[in-house]
Amino acid sequence: MKHYKHPEQLDLLPYIGKWCIIASVIAALAGTASAFFLFSLEYATNWREAHPWVIWLLPLAGFAVGWLYLHTGKPVEAGNNLLIDEIHDPKKVVPLRMVPLVLIGTVVSHLFGASVGREGTAVQMGGALADQLTHLFKLRQEDRRILLMAGISAGFASVFGTPMAGAIFGLEVLAIGRMRYDAIFPCFVAAIAADQIGLAWGVHHTHYAMTGMTPIAFWSVVSVIVAGIIFGLVGMLFANTTHGLSAFMKRRISYAPLRPLIGGVIVAVAVWAIGTQRYIGLGIPVIVESFQQPVAPWDFFAKMVFTVTSLGTGFKGGEVTPLFYIGATLGNALAPLLHLPFSLLTGIGFVAVFAGAANTPIASTIMAIELFGPEIGPFAALACIVSYLFSGHTGIYHAQRVGHPKHRPMPEGMKIAEMNAYKADLKRKHQENEASTTSTKDQSHHE
């Protein structure tokens, strides 16, 4: 064992100084990029709402984004999954082109009416910008992992205005059931600073007003657990259908730009058929409305269909804000059935469906406290944890690993993307064993 001549705490001083500097640079880059992105998104959304006819150009916009990624964006097409893979298995620095490509792709998607989010864009910009510092600071591979995690935290925190949740998200999203603490200081510094930089640029985040609360009691806890089960199943449904549609489109249509073109046609015709743009874009006004009054009980399902169609056919953006919409409107619809204040269950659903779909119950709970106040904390924690458990070993990020299985035994280190093949292999082996057992019994019977 190596003998040290001075206290361990002295070694921490240069470590703290080093990561304060690096995380601050990451925050400056990610916070500024997120601010520019949010301003661009606001302008695109306002322009689309003022010119509703532009929805008919969505197929052409989808084709253009698909063509752009086909010819210039293949190395970064995996998006968030590329960042997660690089953290688990570092190979090469994420190309800087990820930043303009995902920015342009997302703003164009919103400008013409796709139902996508914004978290994916901010996280990808934060991670890609942070990774450019690898050579500048001559970092080791282990430090590069931390660099990428801090970039993810900074992007998430600055786009939603939730620094604590952003920091935990960067630590928690990598693996199901396991969190990396070696990056905890850089992630928190980057997330807090990035949020402040965004605010300094003039970013204003949406305020959600909680108007109802209920005491912690047996019936309220049971109701929240029941709601958490439903939220987890919906999160699982969202993740599976999005990945399923994406895989189907890739099998059926080899030329990538045609996929979002077809998705754009479907979305545009659907908007025309139902006569409302309520289910496209971010949907922030509907989320705010769901905190104030009861909304249509089918809103959550309609938003899910529009978002799955948009993301599954190749439009760029993110899943998280649509998941907030789905969860908030679903919670609003469930509130009278579970005898809970609708604004309370709206807030719980807002974070719990995301917790199940992203496998991030801790970050989601902290987000609820940051957005809605500390009183919602116990209920949000219960719902997020139950949702996380009931969503199974699925998720919106295919590159997530199984750090610790939720319930049934699973190989640690396996990607979510490999889960279906693993289950199919288990089923095949089980059937072979049953067939072998039956054959042995039949042979014994004849003898």
Side-chain angles (χ1 to χ4, degrees), residues 227-243 300 304 308 323 326-327 330 349 352-359 387-388 390-392 394-396 406:
I229 294 172
I230 297 171
F231 293 146
L233 295 175
V234 169
M236 178 180 69
L237 178 64
F238 177 89
N240 287 343
T241 51
T242 302
H243 292 314
F300 83 93
M304 183 184 296
V308 167
L323 284 168
I326 293 166
L330 176 58
V353 171
F354 166 57
N359 296 302
S387 176
Y388 159 78
F390 274 80
S391 67
T394 61
I396 54 178
K406 296 184 182 182

Short mmCIF file of all heavy atoms in Angstrom, two decimals, residues 227-243 300 304 308 323 326-327 330 349 352-359 387-388 390-392 394-396 406:
data_model
loop_
_atom_site.label_atom_id
_atom_site.label_comp_id
_atom_site.label_asym_id
_atom_site.label_seq_id
_atom_site.Cartn_x
_atom_site.Cartn_y
_atom_site.Cartn_z
N ALA A 227 -51.32 5.75 -9.03
CA ALA A 227 -50.99 6.66 -10.13
C ALA A 227 -49.58 6.38 -10.66
O ALA A 227 -49.35 6.40 -11.88
CB ALA A 227 -51.10 8.10 -9.67
N GLY A 228 -48.64 6.12 -9.75
CA GLY A 228 -47.27 5.82 -10.16
C GLY A 228 -47.17 4.59 -11.05
O GLY A 228 -46.39 4.56 -12.01
N ILE A 229 -47.97 3.58 -10.75
CA ILE A 229 -48.00 2.38 -11.59
C ILE A 229 -48.45 2.74 -13.01
O ILE A 229 -47.84 2.33 -14.00
CB ILE A 229 -48.94 1.32 -10.98
CG1 ILE A 229 -48.37 0.81 -9.65
CG2 ILE A 229 -49.17 0.17 -11.96
CD1 ILE A 229 -49.32 -0.10 -8.89
N ILE A 230 -49.52 3.54 -13.10
CA ILE A 230 -50.03 3.94 -14.41
C ILE A 230 -49.00 4.79 -15.14
O ILE A 230 -48.76 4.60 -16.35
CB ILE A 230 -51.36 4.71 -14.24
CG1 ILE A 230 -52.42 3.79 -13.63
CG2 ILE A 230 -51.85 5.24 -15.59
CD1 ILE A 230 -53.69 4.49 -13.22
N PHE A 231 -48.37 5.72 -14.43
CA PHE A 231 -47.36 6.58 -15.06
C PHE A 231 -46.20 5.74 -15.60
O PHE A 231 -45.67 6.01 -16.69
CB PHE A 231 -46.83 7.60 -14.05
CG PHE A 231 -47.85 8.62 -13.62
CD1 PHE A 231 -47.85 9.12 -12.31
CD2 PHE A 231 -48.81 9.08 -14.48
CE1 PHE A 231 -48.78 10.05 -11.90
CE2 PHE A 231 -49.76 10.03 -14.08
CZ PHE A 231 -49.74 10.50 -12.78
N GLY A 232 -45.77 4.73 -14.85
CA GLY A 232 -44.67 3.88 -15.29
C GLY A 232 -45.03 3.09 -16.53
O GLY A 232 -44.22 2.96 -17.46
N LEU A 233 -46.25 2.55 -16.57
CA LEU A 233 -46.69 1.79 -17.74
C LEU A 233 -46.79 2.69 -18.97
O LEU A 233 -46.44 2.27 -20.09
CB LEU A 233 -48.04 1.12 -17.45
CG LEU A 233 -48.02 0.05 -16.35
CD1 LEU A 233 -49.43 -0.46 -16.08
CD2 LEU A 233 -47.12 -1.12 -16.75
N VAL A 234 -47.25 3.92 -18.78
CA VAL A 234 -47.34 4.86 -19.90
C VAL A 234 -45.94 5.24 -20.38
O VAL A 234 -45.68 5.34 -21.59
CB VAL A 234 -48.15 6.11 -19.51
CG1 VAL A 234 -48.03 7.22 -20.56
CG2 VAL A 234 -49.62 5.74 -19.32
N GLY A 235 -45.00 5.45 -19.45
CA GLY A 235 -43.63 5.74 -19.83
C GLY A 235 -43.01 4.60 -20.62
O GLY A 235 -42.30 4.82 -21.62
N MET A 236 -43.28 3.37 -20.19
CA MET A 236 -42.79 2.20 -20.91
C MET A 236 -43.42 2.13 -22.31
O MET A 236 -42.72 1.85 -23.30
CB MET A 236 -43.13 0.93 -20.13
CG MET A 236 -42.70 -0.36 -20.81
SD MET A 236 -43.12 -1.84 -19.84
CE MET A 236 -44.92 -1.81 -19.97
N LEU A 237 -44.72 2.39 -22.40
CA LEU A 237 -45.41 2.37 -23.69
C LEU A 237 -44.82 3.41 -24.64
O LEU A 237 -44.59 3.13 -25.83
CB LEU A 237 -46.90 2.63 -23.49
CG LEU A 237 -47.77 2.69 -24.75
CD1 LEU A 237 -47.76 1.35 -25.47
CD2 LEU A 237 -49.20 3.12 -24.40
N PHE A 238 -44.55 4.59 -24.11
CA PHE A 238 -43.97 5.65 -24.94
C PHE A 238 -42.61 5.22 -25.49
O PHE A 238 -42.33 5.35 -26.69
CB PHE A 238 -43.82 6.93 -24.11
CG PHE A 238 -43.17 8.07 -24.86
CD1 PHE A 238 -43.93 8.96 -25.59
CD2 PHE A 238 -41.80 8.24 -24.83
CE1 PHE A 238 -43.34 10.00 -26.28
CE2 PHE A 238 -41.18 9.28 -25.52
CZ PHE A 238 -41.96 10.17 -26.25
N ALA A 239 -41.74 4.72 -24.62
CA ALA A 239 -40.39 4.33 -25.05
C ALA A 239 -40.44 3.20 -26.06
O ALA A 239 -39.77 3.24 -27.10
CB ALA A 239 -39.56 3.93 -23.83
N ASN A 240 -41.27 2.18 -25.78
CA ASN A 240 -41.32 1.02 -26.67
C ASN A 240 -41.91 1.36 -28.03
O ASN A 240 -41.41 0.89 -29.06
CB ASN A 240 -42.13 -0.10 -26.02
CG ASN A 240 -41.39 -0.78 -24.88
OD1 ASN A 240 -40.17 -0.65 -24.75
ND2 ASN A 240 -42.11 -1.48 -24.02
N THR A 241 -42.96 2.17 -28.05
CA THR A 241 -43.58 2.51 -29.34
C THR A 241 -42.68 3.42 -30.16
O THR A 241 -42.61 3.28 -31.39
CB THR A 241 -44.96 3.16 -29.13
OG1 THR A 241 -44.85 4.26 -28.20
CG2 THR A 241 -45.97 2.16 -28.61
N THR A 242 -41.99 4.34 -29.50
CA THR A 242 -41.07 5.22 -30.24
C THR A 242 -39.95 4.42 -30.88
O THR A 242 -39.63 4.57 -32.07
CB THR A 242 -40.48 6.30 -29.31
OG1 THR A 242 -41.54 7.06 -28.73
CG2 THR A 242 -39.58 7.24 -30.09
N HIS A 243 -39.31 3.54 -30.09
CA HIS A 243 -38.23 2.71 -30.63
C HIS A 243 -38.77 1.73 -31.67
O HIS A 243 -38.12 1.46 -32.68
CB HIS A 243 -37.54 1.94 -29.51
CG HIS A 243 -36.77 2.81 -28.57
ND1 HIS A 243 -35.93 3.80 -29.00
CD2 HIS A 243 -36.71 2.84 -27.21
CE1 HIS A 243 -35.38 4.41 -27.96
NE2 HIS A 243 -35.84 3.84 -26.87
N PHE A 300 -53.45 13.35 -23.20
CA PHE A 300 -52.17 12.66 -23.01
C PHE A 300 -51.93 11.66 -24.14
O PHE A 300 -50.80 11.53 -24.64
CB PHE A 300 -52.13 11.97 -21.65
CG PHE A 300 -52.77 10.61 -21.60
CD1 PHE A 300 -52.03 9.45 -21.81
CD2 PHE A 300 -54.15 10.48 -21.38
CE1 PHE A 300 -52.63 8.20 -21.77
CE2 PHE A 300 -54.75 9.24 -21.35
CZ PHE A 300 -53.99 8.10 -21.54
N MET A 304 -49.06 11.72 -27.12
CA MET A 304 -48.17 10.57 -27.28
C MET A 304 -48.13 10.13 -28.74
O MET A 304 -47.05 9.86 -29.29
CB MET A 304 -48.61 9.40 -26.39
CG MET A 304 -47.67 8.20 -26.47
SD MET A 304 -48.25 6.77 -25.52
CE MET A 304 -48.20 7.43 -23.88
N VAL A 308 -44.68 10.24 -30.78
CA VAL A 308 -44.12 8.98 -31.26
C VAL A 308 -43.96 9.03 -32.78
O VAL A 308 -42.94 8.60 -33.33
CB VAL A 308 -45.01 7.80 -30.84
CG1 VAL A 308 -44.62 6.53 -31.59
CG2 VAL A 308 -44.90 7.56 -29.34
N LEU A 323 -42.92 14.27 -22.72
CA LEU A 323 -43.24 13.40 -21.58
C LEU A 323 -43.84 14.20 -20.43
O LEU A 323 -44.73 13.72 -19.72
CB LEU A 323 -41.99 12.65 -21.12
CG LEU A 323 -41.55 11.48 -22.00
CD1 LEU A 323 -40.16 11.01 -21.61
CD2 LEU A 323 -42.54 10.32 -21.91
N ILE A 326 -47.42 14.70 -21.50
CA ILE A 326 -48.18 13.45 -21.35
C ILE A 326 -48.48 13.18 -19.88
O ILE A 326 -49.60 12.86 -19.49
CB ILE A 326 -47.40 12.28 -21.98
CG1 ILE A 326 -47.33 12.46 -23.50
CG2 ILE A 326 -48.05 10.95 -21.63
CD1 ILE A 326 -46.32 11.57 -24.18
N GLY A 327 -47.46 13.33 -19.03
CA GLY A 327 -47.63 13.06 -17.61
C GLY A 327 -48.56 14.05 -16.93
O GLY A 327 -49.41 13.67 -16.11
N LEU A 330 -52.17 13.43 -18.18
CA LEU A 330 -52.64 12.15 -17.64
C LEU A 330 -52.95 12.28 -16.16
O LEU A 330 -53.99 11.78 -15.69
CB LEU A 330 -51.58 11.07 -17.88
CG LEU A 330 -51.89 9.68 -17.29
CD1 LEU A 330 -53.19 9.13 -17.83
CD2 LEU A 330 -50.73 8.71 -17.58
N GLY A 349 -47.59 13.74 -12.12
CA GLY A 349 -47.51 13.09 -13.43
C GLY A 349 -46.46 13.73 -14.31
O GLY A 349 -45.78 13.04 -15.09
N ALA A 352 -43.30 12.06 -13.07
CA ALA A 352 -43.27 10.61 -12.88
C ALA A 352 -43.23 9.84 -14.19
O ALA A 352 -42.56 8.80 -14.28
CB ALA A 352 -44.46 10.16 -12.04
N VAL A 353 -43.94 10.30 -15.22
CA VAL A 353 -43.87 9.61 -16.51
C VAL A 353 -42.45 9.71 -17.06
O VAL A 353 -41.90 8.74 -17.60
CB VAL A 353 -44.89 10.19 -17.50
CG1 VAL A 353 -44.67 9.62 -18.91
CG2 VAL A 353 -46.31 9.88 -17.05
N PHE A 354 -41.84 10.87 -16.90
CA PHE A 354 -40.45 11.05 -17.31
C PHE A 354 -39.54 10.13 -16.51
O PHE A 354 -38.61 9.52 -17.06
CB PHE A 354 -40.05 12.51 -17.12
CG PHE A 354 -38.57 12.77 -17.18
CD1 PHE A 354 -37.83 12.40 -18.29
CD2 PHE A 354 -37.91 13.38 -16.12
CE1 PHE A 354 -36.46 12.64 -18.35
CE2 PHE A 354 -36.55 13.63 -16.17
CZ PHE A 354 -35.82 13.25 -17.29
N ALA A 355 -39.78 9.99 -15.20
CA ALA A 355 -38.95 9.12 -14.36
C ALA A 355 -38.97 7.69 -14.87
O ALA A 355 -37.94 7.01 -14.89
CB ALA A 355 -39.43 9.18 -12.92
N GLY A 356 -40.16 7.21 -15.27
CA GLY A 356 -40.28 5.85 -15.77
C GLY A 356 -39.65 5.67 -17.13
O GLY A 356 -38.96 4.69 -17.39
N ALA A 357 -39.86 6.64 -18.02
CA ALA A 357 -39.36 6.53 -19.39
C ALA A 357 -37.85 6.70 -19.47
O ALA A 357 -37.19 6.09 -20.32
CB ALA A 357 -40.05 7.55 -20.29
N ALA A 358 -37.28 7.52 -18.58
CA ALA A 358 -35.83 7.79 -18.62
C ALA A 358 -35.06 7.02 -17.56
O ALA A 358 -33.83 7.07 -17.55
CB ALA A 358 -35.59 9.28 -18.44
N ASN A 359 -35.77 6.31 -16.65
CA ASN A 359 -35.12 5.58 -15.56
C ASN A 359 -34.29 6.50 -14.66
O ASN A 359 -33.17 6.18 -14.28
CB ASN A 359 -34.25 4.45 -16.12
CG ASN A 359 -35.05 3.40 -16.85
OD1 ASN A 359 -35.96 2.79 -16.28
ND2 ASN A 359 -34.75 3.17 -18.12
N SER A 387 -43.09 4.49 -10.61
CA SER A 387 -43.07 4.58 -12.07
C SER A 387 -41.79 3.97 -12.63
O SER A 387 -41.82 3.22 -13.63
CB SER A 387 -43.18 6.05 -12.50
OG SER A 387 -43.07 6.18 -13.90
N TYR A 388 -40.67 4.28 -12.02
CA TYR A 388 -39.38 3.72 -12.42
C TYR A 388 -39.40 2.20 -12.37
O TYR A 388 -38.94 1.51 -13.29
CB TYR A 388 -38.29 4.28 -11.50
CG TYR A 388 -37.01 3.49 -11.43
CD1 TYR A 388 -36.07 3.57 -12.46
CD2 TYR A 388 -36.73 2.67 -10.35
CE1 TYR A 388 -34.89 2.84 -12.40
CE2 TYR A 388 -35.56 1.94 -10.28
CZ TYR A 388 -34.64 2.03 -11.30
OH TYR A 388 -33.48 1.31 -11.23
N PHE A 390 -42.09 0.15 -12.45
CA PHE A 390 -43.09 -0.46 -13.32
C PHE A 390 -42.83 -0.21 -14.81
O PHE A 390 -43.50 -0.81 -15.65
CB PHE A 390 -44.49 0.01 -12.93
CG PHE A 390 -45.11 -0.82 -11.85
CD1 PHE A 390 -44.77 -0.62 -10.52
CD2 PHE A 390 -46.01 -1.83 -12.15
CE1 PHE A 390 -45.31 -1.38 -9.51
CE2 PHE A 390 -46.56 -2.61 -11.15
CZ PHE A 390 -46.21 -2.39 -9.82
N SER A 391 -41.89 0.65 -15.13
CA SER A 391 -41.56 0.84 -16.54
C SER A 391 -40.68 -0.28 -17.08
O SER A 391 -40.44 -0.36 -18.29
CB SER A 391 -40.86 2.20 -16.75
OG SER A 391 -39.60 2.22 -16.14
N GLY A 392 -40.20 -1.13 -16.19
CA GLY A 392 -39.40 -2.27 -16.62
C GLY A 392 -38.02 -1.86 -17.10
O GLY A 392 -37.58 -0.74 -16.92
N THR A 394 -36.81 -0.93 -19.82
CA THR A 394 -36.93 -0.23 -21.09
C THR A 394 -36.58 1.22 -20.84
O THR A 394 -36.35 1.62 -19.70
CB THR A 394 -38.36 -0.33 -21.65
OG1 THR A 394 -39.27 0.29 -20.70
CG2 THR A 394 -38.78 -1.77 -21.86
N GLY A 395 -36.59 2.04 -21.88
CA GLY A 395 -36.30 3.45 -21.67
C GLY A 395 -36.10 4.18 -22.98
O GLY A 395 -35.93 3.57 -24.04
N ILE A 396 -36.14 5.50 -22.91
CA ILE A 396 -36.00 6.31 -24.11
C ILE A 396 -34.55 6.37 -24.58
O ILE A 396 -34.29 6.72 -25.73
CB ILE A 396 -36.54 7.73 -23.88
CG1 ILE A 396 -35.90 8.39 -22.65
CG2 ILE A 396 -38.05 7.72 -23.75
CD1 ILE A 396 -36.35 9.82 -22.39
N LYS A 406 -33.89 -3.90 -11.73
CA LYS A 406 -34.98 -3.37 -10.91
C LYS A 406 -35.60 -4.46 -10.04
O LYS A 406 -35.91 -4.23 -8.87
CB LYS A 406 -36.05 -2.75 -11.82
CG LYS A 406 -35.57 -1.55 -12.62
CD LYS A 406 -36.69 -0.93 -13.42
CE LYS A 406 -36.19 0.23 -14.26
NZ LYS A 406 -37.27 0.89 -15.03
#
